[in-house]
């Protein structure tokens, strides 16, 4: 309004000298800056001095916002509001498109390979729909491959055990007793190696139909069975039951392997059960232990500290690999450390079952 009035005035008269008098616009020093200076500056006054024929000056003073206004608001405010709305719309759109991806991530985390599970319904953008459809097809193919492999392994196991049984019957007819005993031991070791190799090839023992079991009672039964053949095995399990969700047969194989490994290399073994945030089982021995640099490699199939591969100095190298597979299938963590008894400590931590 001031600009319009001044323009009309100057056009109606002959050219006049115009002097603009405003506040200082240099940026203040940091120590002189005060909260609210910006808004006070937006409301500062601006003076126009126009010369008259008499030599005097006529002063116009404009009080209020100096900048242009759009519907009564500064243009910058409108731009900020528009940017905020665009940002909110972008966040909502991203969250909407990310929802199917989160669901896909959860579904893949629950996929075990032995069954495709419930398929996801395609949703979201066309690219995400295509991705979900491809993942569903991939899961079906993987499940079919795993099922075919298990059927093949079952058939091979059945046929090989049949041949081993035939050999065992023929070995019993050998006239030399010493050779007969050696051949029988070889067949026993062959059977054990075959079972371990097939177990590793199956990828674990965790059944989809788990049950709520008392870990303390399970360990007590395992220790009691193995104590009959070893006087160096004892347990510290406490009195209270400790419940977890697991497959009992798989856990018996897991703890059986850990205890057998301990008793093969140490005269004494102690099984301890502790409950803190998780249900943790410790298998401690007083043997030579495992070097710290090899405590990760021993979980690999067929890895052995003794490079000679002699069965007299250890098993097939599959015992701890089976332990790791069963623990992973149950959502448990397994680790090796130094035992308070001076040897090796093997620990397995299970999530505690809800009441």
């Amino acid at each position: 309004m001031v600009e319009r009035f001044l323009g009309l005035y100057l056009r109606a008269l002959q050219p006049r000298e115009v002097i603009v008098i405003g506040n200082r616009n240099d940026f203040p020093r940091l120590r002189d800056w005060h909260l609210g200076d910006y808004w006070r500056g937006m409301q500062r006054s601006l003076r126009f001095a126009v010369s008259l024929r008499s030599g005097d000056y006529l002063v116009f003073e404009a009080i209020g916002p100096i900048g242009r206004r759009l519907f009564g608001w500064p243009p910058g405010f409108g731009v900020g509001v528009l940017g905020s709305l665009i940002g909110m719309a972008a966040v909502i759109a991203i969250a909407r498109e990310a929802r199917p991806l989160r669901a896909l991530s959860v579904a893949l985390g629950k996929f075990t390979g032995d069954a495709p599970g419930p398929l996801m319904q395609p949703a979201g953008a066309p690219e995400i729909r295509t991705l979900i459809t491809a993942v569903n097809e991939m899961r079906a193919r993987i499940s079919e491959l795993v099922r075919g492999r298990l059927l093949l392994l079952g058939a091979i196991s059945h046929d090989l055990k049949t041949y081993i049984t035939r050999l065992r019957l023929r070995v019993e007819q050998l006239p030399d007793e010493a050779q007969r005993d050696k051949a029988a031991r070889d067949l026993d070791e062959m059977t054990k190696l075959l079972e371990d190799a097939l177990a590793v090839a199956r990828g674990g023992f965790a059944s989809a139909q788990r049950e709520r079991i008392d870990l303390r009672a399970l360990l007590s039964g395992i220790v009691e069975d193995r104590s009959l053949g070893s006087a160096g095995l004892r347990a510290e399990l406490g009195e209270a039951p400790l419940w977890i969700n697991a497959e009992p047969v798989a856990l018996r194989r897991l703890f059986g392997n850990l205890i057998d490994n301990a008793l093969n290399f140490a005269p004494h073994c102690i099984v301890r059960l502790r409950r803190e945030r998780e249900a943790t089982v410790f298998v401690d021995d007083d043997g030579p232990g495992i070097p710290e640099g090899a405590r990760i490699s021993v979980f690999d199939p067929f890895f052995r500290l003794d490079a000679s591969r002699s069965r007299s100095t250890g098993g097939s190298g599959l015992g701890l690999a089976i332990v790791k597979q069963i623990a992973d299938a149950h959502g448990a963590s397994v680790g090796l450390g130094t035992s308070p008894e001076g040897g090796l400590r093997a620990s397995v931590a299970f999530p505690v079952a809800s009441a």
Side-chain angles (χ1 to χ4, degrees), residues 56-124:
D56 297 326
Y57 287 86
L58 179 63
V59 179
F60 302 90
E61 183 175 4
I63 301 176
I66 298 175
R68 294 182 178 272
R69 294 285 174 167
L70 181 63
F71 301 109
W73 295 96
F77 179 80
V79 173
V81 171
L82 180 61
S84 300
L85 293 177
I86 294 176
M88 293 174 60
V91 170
I92 294 174
I94 292 174
R96 179 178 177 274
E97 296 300 330
R99 191 179 300 113
L101 293 177
R102 288 194 297 268
L104 179 63
S105 176
V106 173
L108 290 178
K110 297 179 179 179
F111 178 60
T112 59
D114 54 355
L119 299 180
M120 282 194 57
Q121 294 297 326

Side-chain angles (χ1 to χ4, degrees), residues 216-231 233-235 237 259 263 271:
R216 178 195 172 279
L218 180 73
L219 290 172
S220 178
I222 296 174
V223 172
E224 183 178 355
D225 291 342
R226 280 170 168 74
S227 297
L228 299 177
S230 174
L233 177 62
R234 61 189 180 91
L237 305 178
I259 294 174
L263 294 177
V271 180

Side-chain angles (χ1 to χ4, degrees), residues 269-317:
C269 173
I270 304 176
V271 180
R272 295 182 169 97
L273 177 61
R274 298 289 183 271
R275 174 171 181 171
E276 296 176 352
R277 294 183 179 179
E278 299 176 308
T280 306
V281 180
F282 299 102
V283 180
D284 297 319
D285 62 55
D286 55 356
I290 296 177
E292 186 173 353
R295 289 177 181 174
I296 296 179
S297 301
V298 292
F299 292 108
D300 296 335
F302 299 104
F303 179 87
R304 298 179 61 207
L305 294 176
D306 178 21
S308 66
R309 314 299 299 176
S310 172
R311 299 281 294 184
S312 62
T313 59
S316 60

Side-chain angles (χ1 to χ4, degrees), residues 328-344:
D328 290 344
H330 282 81
S333 59
V334 58
L336 300 177
T338 302
S339 168
E341 311 300 321
L344 180 68

Side-chain angles (χ1 to χ4, degrees), residues 123-141:
E127 294 81 3
I128 298 179
R129 290 173 177 268
T130 303
L131 174 63
I132 294 176
T133 302
V135 170
N136 287 337
E137 296 175 354
M138 180 190 66
R139 291 169 60 185
R141 289 195 299 269

Side-chain angles (χ1 to χ4, degrees), residues 154-269:
I156 293 175
S157 174
H158 178 270
D159 292 344
L160 288 179
K161 288 182 179 179
T162 300
Y163 288 118
I164 292 176
T165 302
R166 292 178 183 175
L167 288 175
R168 192 182 302 276
L169 294 175
R170 293 174 182 176
V171 163
E172 295 297 332
Q173 299 177 3
L174 292 177
D176 190 343
E177 182 178 358
Q179 295 297 326
R180 185 170 64 247
D181 293 340
K182 290 182 181 180
R185 282 197 304 270
D186 289 340
L187 290 175
D188 291 338
E189 293 177 357
M190 186 184 302
T191 302
K192 181 66 168 57
L193 176 60
L194 175 62
E195 293 176 350
D196 290 346
L198 290 174
V200 173
R202 292 190 187 103
F205 297 81
S207 172
Q209 301 297 328
R210 299 179 187 177
E211 56 184 274
R212 192 167 181 263
I213 63 174
D214 182 4
L215 183 58
R216 178 195 172 279
L218 180 73
L219 290 172
S220 178
I222 296 174
V223 172
E224 183 178 355
D225 291 342
R226 280 170 168 74
S227 297
L228 299 177
S230 174
L233 177 62
R234 61 189 180 91
E236 297 176 2
L237 305 178
E239 300 297 332
L242 186 53
W243 300 94
I244 63 173
N245 292 320
E247 206 284 315
V249 176
L251 289 196
R252 290 191 182 94
R253 185 69 180 271
L254 183 153
F255 293 118
N257 284 359
L258 290 179
I259 294 174
D260 291 342
N261 284 346
L263 294 177
N264 284 338
F265 296 97
H268 301 92
C269 173

